Amino acid sequence: MAGPGELGEGEKERWRALRAASEAPRNPFMEPEFTEAVGLVRPRARVAVVYEGLEPVGFLPYERGPLGQGRAIGLGVSDAQGAILRPGLDLDTGRLLKACSVSSFAFDNLEAEQRLFVRYAAEEHATYVVDVEKGYETYESVLRAQSPKFLKTTLAKERKLGRQVGEPRFVFDERDPAALRTLMEWKSAQYRRTGRQDRFAREWITRLVGRLARTRAPECAGTLSVLYAGERPVAAHFGLRSASVLACWFPAYDPEFAKYSPGLVLHLRMAEAAAAEGIGMLDLGRGAAEYKDALRTGELPVYEGAVTRPGAGAALHWLSREPARRAHSFVRGRPRLAALAARTLKGAARLRRT
């Protein structure tokens, strides 16, 4: 067991090599740099290193709760989770959890290739993806076929934004800290408008994003993309990218310009810029949304659940997580009920503001 910052360069190189050998997309949330960044803001972050002789053959980044409950590193904000293992390595999950001094290991965005943990999943979800492997022009042709009205309308709004506000200008990798602060302010306001918990009201998440914004590793680089109208930012996104995957994370826009759909324009320009950089896939993340339905070309499965080992800790995990998870699952599985819940949250948010 080690703190994320205690891993040697040789161990991190081995981690990267194992990750490169995986069948899964090279999602930056699964790289050692993300775990290191979480370790700097979450003191209970740990990494279990599995050895065969003197050679590291596996890594499990996790966090240990005060009562011995374990969870995926950065649970709640990480969009890809699991262990980094040598292909074919077979481990006993009970022994692994015992070695980590945890009674459970909870996950909510477990990769499909995580054979060690998938059998313990309680639910399967879809994470929506945009395939730009063959270039942006090919992606646009796909959109013209599957969402012709969406593409035509969005491009028309981009032109209208240029005529009425200022010439659109897109920066794929903006380094201005002020732009990142603006994005976080927009996102906080969006959370409050929709009645959702404001992630940026939690200090550790704000600090994590700030650290990742300065991370420039080949397979995990913080990327702030901004759409400007003239000199004014109208939409922005902060995420992580590897050489082949752009993990979309925190998108937001200025509500003053909502009629121009700047968030949709931003995502089209992100897809174009990503393809030009040689990135083959945008991961839009788990959870249904109209803009994802319009932009996506496919989906990948991710899993939610937990593995536990026998004892009081297993019961504690069930009591602390399962009732809420089952309630959320019940609502998500019933569209009319989910829509009612969304309206209720927005109404409650308006009442708080008044």
Side-chain angles (χ1 to χ4, degrees):
M1 304 309 134
E6 296 171 348
L7 295 180
E9 193 53 43
E11 289 168 314
K12 288 186 283 188
E13 280 304 315
R14 180 62 175 157
W15 179 323
R16 296 182 187 106
L18 291 173
R19 190 61 189 162
S22 169
E23 299 173 358
R26 194 76 184 262
N27 195 300
F29 284 102
M30 294 293 289
E31 297 296 320
E33 289 78 15
F34 177 74
T35 291
E36 280 189 301
V38 174
L40 291 170
V41 299
R42 301 281 283 178
R44 294 182 179 273
R46 296 289 184 270
V47 180
V49 186
V50 181
Y51 286 88
E52 259 185 3
L54 298 177
E55 182 181 40
V57 292
F59 301 85
L60 177 65
Y62 69 99
E63 297 180 49
R64 185 179 186 276
L67 298 177
Q69 295 170 283
R71 48 190 275 168
I73 195 82
L75 186 79
V77 294
S78 58
D79 284 351
Q81 299 157 1
I84 298 86
L85 304 175
R86 188 194 65 198
L89 182 65
D90 187 25
L91 296 177
D92 180 275
T93 54
R95 289 183 62 193
L96 179 60
L97 266 58
K98 184 177 180 180
C100 294
S101 299
V102 296
S103 57
S104 58
F105 177 73
F107 48 83
D108 61 4
N109 277 281
L110 184 76
E111 291 182 322
E113 291 74 15
Q114 294 285 329
R115 297 179 182 89
L116 183 64
F117 298 122
V118 163
R119 63 183 180 271
Y120 300 104
E123 291 186 79
E124 178 181 315
H125 303 283
T127 185
Y128 300 102
V129 298
V130 174
D131 183 356
V132 290
E133 184 73 38
K134 296 180 181 178
Y136 180 73
E137 291 76 14
T138 300
Y139 171 56
E140 257 204 8
S141 68
V142 171
L143 285 183
R144 286 194 179 93
Q146 72 179 25
S147 308
K149 183 177 180 182
F150 158 75
L151 182 63
K152 182 179 180 180
T153 301
T154 303
L155 294 177
K157 288 182 177 180
E158 182 180 26
R159 294 190 293 270
K160 188 175 181 180
L161 177 69
R163 291 193 304 270
Q164 297 184 351
V165 182
E167 187 64 26
R169 177 171 64 91
F170 175 75
V171 179
F172 182 52
D173 190 7
E174 177 64 85
R175 303 296 179 90
D176 184 358
L180 182 59
R181 290 194 296 271
T182 297
L183 167 61
M184 290 192 287
E185 289 169 2
W186 287 343
K187 197 67 181 176
S188 288
Q190 178 190 343
Y191 287 137
R192 294 192 296 270
R193 280 197 311 274
T194 56
R196 297 170 61 194
Q197 184 182 56
D198 181 3
R199 288 182 172 179
F200 290 115
R202 304 172 74 177
E203 183 187 3
W204 75 269
I205 296 179
T206 300
R207 291 171 58 204
L208 176 64
V209 167
R211 289 186 180 280
L212 288 168
R214 300 189 292 274
T215 300
R216 289 291 180 269
E219 298 297 338
C220 182
T223 305
L224 174 65
S225 300
V226 183
L227 177 68
Y228 293 90
E231 295 303 312
R232 184 167 180 176
V234 294
H237 165 268
F238 180 76
L240 303 176
R241 78 175 190 260
S242 68
S244 55
V245 176
L246 173 61
C248 301
W249 205 11
F250 292 111
Y253 61 87
D254 187 338
E256 182 180 340
F257 301 99
K259 68 179 182 179
Y260 302 104
S261 298
L264 295 176
V265 175
L266 172 77
H267 276 82
L268 288 180
R269 297 301 146 238
M270 283 166 52
E272 183 178 29
E277 292 276 330
I279 294 170
M281 187 178 82
L282 279 69
D283 186 338
L284 300 177
R286 167 190 151 178
E290 286 187 19
Y291 80 94
K292 294 182 184 181
D293 284 336
L295 292 164
R296 68 181 177 130
T297 58
E299 58 186 56
L300 297 172
V302 293
Y303 297 91
E304 180 177 356
V307 53
T308 61
R309 60 189 179 100
L316 181 62
H317 165 80
W318 195 97
L319 289 170
S320 64
R321 295 187 64 89
E322 280 300 297
R325 186 195 64 76
R326 293 188 181 194
H328 291 158
S329 177
F330 182 84
V331 172
R332 282 196 304 267
R334 292 158 176 79
R336 292 179 63 184
L337 189 57
L340 176 61
R343 290 196 299 271
T344 301
L345 285 172
K346 289 180 182 179
R350 284 194 295 270
L351 286 173
R352 285 199 296 270
R353 290 199 298 273
T354 58

